[in-house]
Amino acid sequence: MSIARNTFKTNFRSLKIERHQRLAFCLAGLLGLVCLPGRAEYNVTIVDKAPEYRQFGRVEITGSSIVNPRAREILPVRVIDQREIQRLGAQNTTELIQRLPAMHSANELGGVNSVGKGGNEAGAIHGYEAGTLVLINGRRVAPLASQRADLDRTAVDLSLLPLSAIARIEILSDGASTTYGSEAIAGVINIITQEHTDGLTLKAEMLNPQGSGGSGKTMALNWGRGKLAQDGYALQIHFEASEREALLAKERSYTDPRAKPYGVDANGRPLTFVPRYTNYSHSSPGKTYKPVETAADCTTGYDFVPDVTLSLSNPAYHGIKRCLSSTYRNSNIYPEERSQTLYAQFDRVLSAHHTLFSELSLQHAANAYTNLSPTNTALVFKAPNYYYYAPDAYQSGVRTQNNDRKRLVLGSRGSLADWDYTLSAVHSQNGTQLNEEGAYQATTSAQWTALLRPYANELVNDPASYSTGLKNALNSRIRDPRLLSEASIVQQGLELRGSKVVGETQWGDIQLGSGVFAQQQKLDITNPASPVLMPSYSAQRKNMGASLELQIPAWENLELMGAMRAEKYTGFGSVLTGKVGLKYALTEKSHLRANVGTGYRAPTLSQMTPVATYVLAGTTQNNKPLSGFALGNPNLQPEKSTQWSFGAHAQPQANWGIGADFWQIRVKDTFGTPTISQIDADPRLKAAHYTVNPDGSVRYDLLAMNLGQMEKSGIDYYVQHRLPTDWGRWLLGIEGTHNLKSRRSNYPGDPLVSDLGQYQVAYESVTPRNKIRFTSGLEQANWGINSQINYMSGNREPIPLYSVVDYRGLPVGDSYTHQVKDTWTLDVSGWHALSKSFKLHWSVTNLTNETPPERFTSLGATIISSLPRSDTRYNDYYGRTFRLTVEWKVW
């Protein structure tokens, strides 16, 4: 018997077997081991022929263009396979990824919707969201469409795929610009879909938090037919529809913005946290004006608290308390969510060496949130009384962000002239519409007074009891539903990658990977509601280039890797990046690895388009109008980075695994816009970005700039243990990230300022020192139960001036520092196969109902606001949440 083999194929030249007794004839191939019973004598001849579907021996590794399973150990790639997905009990792709300790990302569904930036769920490797590239099956996805010059929108929404369509997720926690180009400075999240799906499966899921608001449900259908290796084709369809109720600030005690004690001062006198208050209630009926008020005068929705405004205006009012309403009690911590997601995949064998593949992704996601209008207030006089009133108590505006995402992939993979190749064309499109209904037209206090005076006595009543006349008066000022803004980004790309053996050393094959690519991107922004303040514009660019990678077994225990990529952009020119790496095997079960490389990140189209867009309004201390405009900058240069990592990993026994990687990122020419607090504090910025108009109003120009440098470093580590017992298999593990450094400069030439354990107002960021997950589980053939303890260290932050008042009612917040507490949460999940057709999944998130940390300095806000706000980097704000899922495999 003569057998010749290389890495991907086996050729049987001739085989003759002669025996006089019963025997077994076994052929080993790519698809397994096939045994044929025999008789007394056989004469078998097999003609030279490659296996029918040769390309399925391919092993593609995230971060490498070479088809080679050895590459996985050179690069720090974290793999979440189907078994782990089931163990973790995650509800969706976003939850699965954002829970990882190496991730440190704020989910924009929480805590920022009062300014209309919600509805996006991104990942951030080591806290660098804009430097985290998200791929599906190794190919790019269009970024978020809701772009502005002051919003760094390179991120990709992680909810694009149903969880059922995912085979595994590979997370490369090291720079990969030499393989994938822009945005891969911090690393890559590569979501890899199923190769095939068998039959029809239906799924129903219910979510129920402990407390009002936030309930949800999901229905899903998965269907597939054919296996590529056996049938020559595979077709699968995954559909998911979900919805979830809104969660308002007032529905959780820890997010309800009400006055509360805040310790004592140096002399033991009480301090009080006082959020933003008003005389006008946006959630309750109006109230009668009284020169002097007592606690008994405070009706539902009003608190008896120091009036900070009065205290500032006249020392005689120090300590004066009034009945005031918390402005944002009806604002959203989480919006109402609805989504429908479809993913379809079709693969077809064209010949023994070529396979056609295609993917289609469609998603519509809508997020609705309350938009309160603090300018729509009135002080209505009808003898003998004055009445404070906010029309939002009767009807508040609702803004809905509709996101439509489409992605189509066509391609071919296989082998050609000793090359393993993949050719793909990708069309990816994201569209966003922001709509509003139920909001009032701009109306002055004098106009409201004239309109409501006939009905003034009713304003203190419940809105449900209003007369027809009062309802008609209020309805007359409600706008017709309108489109506020619309954005669309289209990204198209064509890429050819190839891999082949180009030589050998005595320790193995030398492999070469290469690629050529071309991409174009177009952005369209339309603002029909405010065409003057928020001009519409379009922008586009193209880029193209080539990459090379080489892997060399340089010694018995040493493997080397080198790569480079050259790329040219319209707008700012050419970029060249490189990377080298190595793996050194200490023993058969332990190795060291190291990587060092350069990377880059291109500015977004909005950041480079010279258009001024109105982004915020307010008032100065002199009660003059304040406005802010975000400006693009065509002179922006790309961010450029150097990063390196060094790791040690071992599996001393079959059931044990341990490892750690030290990593560091250094970035120069970081993107950003100066914040208002920066401009006010820095004479250089004030001279360039601050204007006082003749009428006393103030304008801030928030210009996109290359601000300076950023540095991050830390250690990712893990310990895993599997223990077979009579009860089943125990799984134990620790996974964590210890951040050693996180700092950046606020302006070119300025020193670097740390945000490690310290919230930085200047660039609105914070990095925890530690994020850890402890996992344990017990599994048998038909059931399993698992738990995760999640820890995230706290941080310190400045307190806005008006957030804390002393015993006299004077604001003293800027004299104190707030400690955001360490957070521990416990999640428990399990599954049980009731039969071959039915499977039950359940989970309890935040089982101990741990109160989330309060943050006084709002993430994502350009003006410091005196509100306790949510920070979803720690844990979600639903509280203890029960989830039950039933799967039925129909056939």
Side-chain angles (χ1 to χ4, degrees), residues 8-20:
F8 300 106
K9 63 183 179 181
T10 304
N11 294 328
F12 294 93
R13 305 247 172 141
S14 65
L15 174 64
K16 182 175 181 180
I17 301 176
E18 296 182 357
R19 293 188 63 178
H20 299 285

Side-chain angles (χ1 to χ4, degrees), residues 516-539:
V516 291
F517 49 87
Q519 181 178 280
Q520 63 179 12
Q521 190 179 85
K522 182 180 181 182
L523 173 69
D524 290 293
I525 301 289
T526 306
N527 294 292
S530 304
V532 176
L533 293 175
M534 305 174 70
S536 301
Y537 63 91
S538 295

Side-chain angles (χ1 to χ4, degrees), residues 161-450:
L161 290 180
L163 198 58
S164 61
I166 297 173
R168 68 187 186 276
I169 298 174
E170 295 184 351
I171 299 173
L172 171 63
S173 56
D174 185 54
S177 288
T178 50
T179 304
Y180 302 111
S182 180
E183 289 100 58
I185 287 177
V188 176
I189 300 172
N190 190 9
I191 303 173
I192 299 169
T193 59
Q194 305 273 14
E195 289 186 358
H196 64 268
T197 298
D198 295 323
L200 174 65
T201 301
L202 303 178
K203 184 176 80 170
E205 180 176 282
M206 297 293 293
L207 278 171
N208 186 25
Q210 182 175 316
S212 61
S215 295
K217 56 186 177 183
T218 299
M219 302 292 292
L221 176 152
N222 314 313
W223 175 82
R225 183 173 182 179
K227 293 184 178 180
L228 199 59
Q230 297 178 10
D231 306 312
Y233 77 94
L235 172 64
Q236 55 181 308
I237 297 173
H238 302 262
F239 175 76
E240 185 175 275
S242 64
E243 59 183 57
R244 194 160 190 179
E245 297 175 345
L247 183 66
L248 302 181
K250 65 183 180 183
E251 291 180 307
R252 296 291 183 270
S253 60
Y254 41 80
T255 57
D256 193 352
R258 307 292 288 269
K260 61 190 73 175
Y262 188 79
V264 295
D265 64 15
N267 298 313
R269 292 173 297 207
L271 298 171
T272 304
F273 167 72
V274 182
R276 186 178 297 170
Y277 274 99
T278 177
N279 291 305
Y280 312 89
S281 174
H282 293 262
S283 57
S284 302
K287 71 183 182 77
T288 306
Y289 166 78
K290 290 184 177 181
V292 178
E293 295 179 333
T294 66
D297 297 314
C298 300
T299 57
T300 303
Y302 289 87
D303 298 329
F304 191 56
V305 294
D307 191 326
V308 177
T309 305
L310 289 175
S311 296
L312 282 176
S313 61
N314 190 330
Y317 289 107
H318 293 179
I320 295 296
K321 290 189 176 183
R322 300 186 62 81
C323 296
L324 301 175
S325 172
S326 177
T327 309
Y328 283 91
R329 294 197 69 222
N330 272 10
S331 67
N332 287 90
I333 295 299
Y334 294 97
E336 178 185 343
E337 305 171 51
R338 296 178 185 272
S339 68
Q340 300 86 42
T341 305
L342 173 70
Y343 176 76
Q345 182 174 307
F346 178 66
D347 298 81
R348 177 73 182 183
V349 173
L350 300 177
S351 69
H353 298 283
H354 306 285
T355 294
L356 177 72
F357 61 86
S358 61
E359 303 170 32
L360 175 65
S361 303
L362 299 173
Q363 184 184 59
H364 174 76
N367 301 280
Y369 57 91
T370 304
N371 182 55
L372 303 177
S373 303
T375 56
N376 281 318
T377 55
L379 179 61
V380 181
F381 174 72
K382 185 175 183 181
N385 295 320
Y386 283 92
Y387 299 90
Y388 286 111
Y389 187 67
D392 283 329
Y394 169 73
Q395 171 69 63
S396 59
V398 175
R399 289 188 174 179
T400 303
Q401 183 170 301
N402 293 293
N403 299 309
D404 288 287
R405 304 177 177 111
K406 304 172 185 177
R407 184 172 179 268
L408 176 64
V409 178
L410 294 174
S412 174
R413 63 175 177 263
S415 61
L416 183 64
D418 294 328
W419 284 86
D420 286 281
Y421 79 91
T422 301
L423 174 66
S424 59
V426 181
H427 175 92
S428 187
Q429 180 175 348
N430 282 344
T432 296
Q433 282 189 344
L434 185 61
N435 299 281
E436 184 180 66
E437 61 180 338
Y440 294 99
Q441 304 173 39
T443 308
T444 66
S445 183
Q447 289 173 319
W448 277 122
T449 297

Side-chain angles (χ1 to χ4, degrees), residues 63 133 140 175-186 497 515 517 543-550 561-569 572-580 596-602 638-643 666 668:
L133 179 64
R140 283 180 169 267
S177 288
T178 50
T179 304
Y180 302 111
S182 180
E183 289 100 58
I185 287 177
R497 289 183 181 273
F517 49 87
N543 63 297
M544 61 185 65
S547 63
L548 288 173
E549 181 179 348
L550 201 63
M561 178 272 290
M564 65 180 298
R565 179 184 180 104
E567 198 159 354
K568 184 175 182 180
Y569 277 80
F572 59 80
S574 301
V575 181
L576 180 66
T577 57
K579 184 173 184 176
V580 293
V596 60
T598 59
Y600 78 99
R601 185 164 73 93
E639 287 186 356
K640 295 180 180 178
S641 69
T642 57
Q643 57 273 332
R666 291 183 175 177
K668 64 178 182 179

Side-chain angles (χ1 to χ4, degrees), residues 586-641:
L586 299 172
T587 67
E588 290 185 0
K589 296 182 179 180
S590 63
H591 66 274
L592 303 176
R593 66 185 178 205
N595 291 271
V596 60
T598 59
Y600 78 99
R601 185 164 73 93
T604 67
L605 289 170
S606 283
Q607 288 173 321
M608 294 194 70
T609 303
V611 173
T613 301
Y614 177 75
V615 294
L616 61 91
T619 57
T620 66
Q621 289 186 353
N622 298 325
N623 212 28
K624 295 292 185 179
L626 175 154
S627 59
F629 289 81
L631 282 79
N633 182 358
N635 298 317
L636 275 181
Q637 293 300 305
E639 287 186 356
K640 295 180 180 178
S641 69

Side-chain angles (χ1 to χ4, degrees), residues 731-851:
L731 304 169
L732 300 171
I734 300 173
E735 183 177 10
T737 294
H738 176 62
N739 291 297
L740 297 168
K741 183 186 298 182
S742 179
R743 58 183 187 171
R744 64 183 296 173
S745 55
N746 300 327
Y747 196 74
D750 281 3
L752 278 69
V753 179
S754 175
D755 71 347
L756 185 62
Q758 173 69 42
Y759 181 85
Q760 285 297 335
V761 177
Y763 53 91
E764 299 172 350
S765 179
V766 64
T767 298
R769 293 186 181 276
N770 289 288
K771 192 174 180 183
I772 308 171
R773 179 168 65 186
F774 303 87
T775 60
S776 63
L778 177 63
E779 293 182 345
Q780 290 193 0
N782 296 321
W783 61 269
I785 184 170
N786 300 274
S787 66
Q788 297 91 42
I789 299 174
N790 308 290
Y791 169 77
M792 188 165 171
S793 58
N795 60 84
R796 299 181 69 82
E797 63 172 1
I799 300 178
L801 171 65
Y802 296 98
S803 289
V804 174
V805 299
D806 63 15
Y807 70 101
R808 301 167 296 173
L810 286 175
V812 293
D814 59 349
S815 301
Y816 295 88
T817 300
H818 176 60
Q819 177 65 48
V820 176
K821 67 176 184 178
D822 294 1
T823 301
W824 294 86
T825 59
L826 172 62
D827 303 329
V828 181
S829 62
W831 60 274
H832 186 75
L834 302 175
S835 67
K836 291 184 178 180
S837 300
F838 285 93
K839 182 179 285 187
L840 185 71
H841 300 262
W842 60 270
S843 70
V844 184
T845 305
N846 194 4
L847 178 64
T848 57
N849 208 23
E850 174 70 15
T851 301

Side-chain angles (χ1 to χ4, degrees), residues 442-473:
T443 308
T444 66
S445 183
Q447 289 173 319
W448 277 122
T449 297
L451 185 67
L452 301 177
R453 184 179 290 118
Y455 316 100
N457 294 334
E458 295 184 53
L459 298 179
V460 296
N461 299 331
D462 190 301
S465 66
Y466 286 172
S467 66
T468 302
L470 177 54
K471 290 180 180 179
N472 289 340

